[in-house]
Amino acid sequence: MATEATQTSGPDLGQGIAAGEVREGSLLVGHVDGEAVCLVRCGGELFAVSGKCTHYGGPLGEGLVVGETVRCPLHHARFSLRTGEVVAGPALDAIACWNVEQRGDRLLVIGKKPPAPRPMASRQAGPIVILGGGAAGHVAAETLRREGYEGKLSLLSADAAAPVDRPNLSKDYLAGNAPEEWIPLRPREFYAEQRIELVLGVRATQIDVAGKRVLTEAGAAYPYAGLLIATGAEPVRLGIPGAELPHVCHLRTLADSRAIIARLGAARRAVVVGSSFIGLEVAAALRTRGLEVSVVAPEGRPLERVLGPELGSFLRTLHEQHGVRFQLGHTLKSISERQVLLDNGAALDADLVVAGIGVRPALSLAQAAGLRIDRGIAVNEYLETSAPGIFAAGDVARWPDRRSGSNIRVEHWVVAERHGQIAALNLLGRQQPCDFVPFFWSQHYDVAVQYVGHAETWDQIQVDGNLERRDCRLTYLREGKTLALATVGRNLESLRAEAELEG
Ligand SMILES: Cc1cc2nc3c(=O)[nH]c(=O)nc-3n(C[C@H](O)[C@H](O)[C@H](O)COP(=O)(O)OP(=O)(O)OC[C@H]3O[C@@H](n4cnc5c(N)ncnc54)[C@H](O)[C@@H]3O)c2cc1C
Ligand code: FES
């Protein structure tokens, strides 16, 4: 997934460089003691930070400086130039910072700085309960501790696995290119060290708003002073004859990904149902594993509704070049042990079927608790629900988006993490508005698509560049206003577009 930052390119910054070489706002990449280091002049001040992103090793030297942050070109994590701290996900860990000294007309990078001190203990009364161990729930828990919340903190998850790097489940992990240790967001000891009570494999069954408690199927009650609902989304299940057969899989959890992998030994032909991001990523992973793969979907082009006809056609061709066969304009009628039957009567051989036909937000608890629902849990700009003190974040939340002027719900990893961070700050009474520009990426073989903004509908797509050459920007506009941009092979442009959309 990552392009690792080169460790020793550029000058040895420990030996020093001419001060004039470091220009305001740009990144100069060098190295110190074998580590990649970026030297930045920002507002006249000099900063030296690691050149390697802590998420998947992205080359920060190829990123963008915005204000006092450096942003990663791969998945848009942001780090403070002053402290190295994560300003916004998907990274979880800070980057290292060095001291910079000017001697005459030379700049020298000397000595790593100690980590930034932890903030003072927060006076917020506990306990805080987080419902959901996904991206939003996990980042909220980390943020609460990082911001000095010392009270009781419980993270409840219906999943038996501790929070995982979900995007990897349909990419390198499923393709067999990522070791298992990449998958947990944190090792189990982390939760104990941070005094985060991790309650796994337990489903919450009720939010008692008046009594300020969460009740679980195991009969336990978790009282709260502050509650975050981050129950995410659940895959839509196939509702056709044969859908319950053991070789029919869905993909949301680590257990789901493992179940698909467990079937690979015996499988030769797979049918992927749906040409969504997950469907196509699964197709790519299974091709990498050597299976014959057909994708069946009702659309005329994959992902056309989200990305438009140009990118849809490009992705279709890309997958066909890797041997995927498409049966577009069709749905499945039934599944048997060795075949699937399409609506036109055609039969495809399949000893593995993976459905990626969308997700539904997990709303039932919030609905039963009487919270306002609007095709998601309705939240205000601070991610607070209609019940004061109860926040919602991630795939489950619909929030007011300043740019489009509408309420939006988005199913992206980075959005969920940033929601988790903002909700945590607001649980501590910080009144932090949710005002970032949504971002997602999707990986198909060696091609990454990056997307910033949010365009549910558009009336024009401007294409700049050439998709076949993998060097392209697509701008989605409505009434002349830019809503979103997708790029292939233009990581820096994606970062710049994000900064421009932030306005
Ligand atoms: C295979 C896969 C690949 C993806 N790839 C990408 C990608 O490349 N880029 C991208 O931007 N996005 C990607 N996504 C989407 C991204 O992972 C989601 O947007 C993100 O995980 C949402 O985070 P969340 O915290 O809102 O919910 P989730 O991650 O779904 O977590 C929800 C949690 O709530 C728990 N829960 C639900 N109900 C209850 C209950 N009643 N009691 C207790 N716990 C409960 C669940 O067990 C789970 O732990 C991918 C998703 C999948 C499934
Ligand atoms: S590698 Fe930097 S954000 Fe993913």
Side-chain angles (χ1 to χ4, degrees), residues 76-96:
H76 292 203
R78 302 174 188 178
F79 301 93
S80 160
L81 289 169
R82 194 169 291 283
T83 64
E85 292 284 301
V86 177
V87 175
L92 297 174
D93 289 311
I95 51 173

Side-chain angles (χ1 to χ4, degrees), residues 131-137 156-159 166-171 202-205 230-234 251-253 278 281 362 365 393-396 410-414 416 439-443:
L131 257 182
L156 272 59
S157 177
D159 198 333
R166 209 176 292 293
N168 213 326
L169 300 181
S170 54
K171 302 182 179 63
V202 173
R203 191 163 281 279
T205 48
T231 43
E234 287 152 1
L251 177 53
R252 183 76 190 179
T253 63
I278 289 179
E281 288 185 353
L365 282 178
D395 282 9
V396 83
V410 170
E411 292 158 5
H412 303 333
W413 181 255
V414 169
F439 163 79
F440 75 82
W441 81 98
S442 184
Q443 188 78 33

Side-chain angles (χ1 to χ4, degrees), residues 35 45 163 182 226 365 414 444 479:
E35 286 186 64
E45 259 186 275
W182 287 11
L365 282 178
V414 169
H444 305 261
E479 291 168 8

Side-chain angles (χ1 to χ4, degrees), residues 1-3 52-60 71-79 88-91 414 418 439 441:
M1 179 143 87
T3 307
K52 187 172 172 177
C53 178
T54 52
H55 181 226
Y56 270 96
L60 292 178
R71 300 182 176 188
C72 178
L74 295 193
H75 317 113
H76 292 203
R78 302 174 188 178
F79 301 93
V414 169
R418 292 181 184 175
F439 163 79
W441 81 98

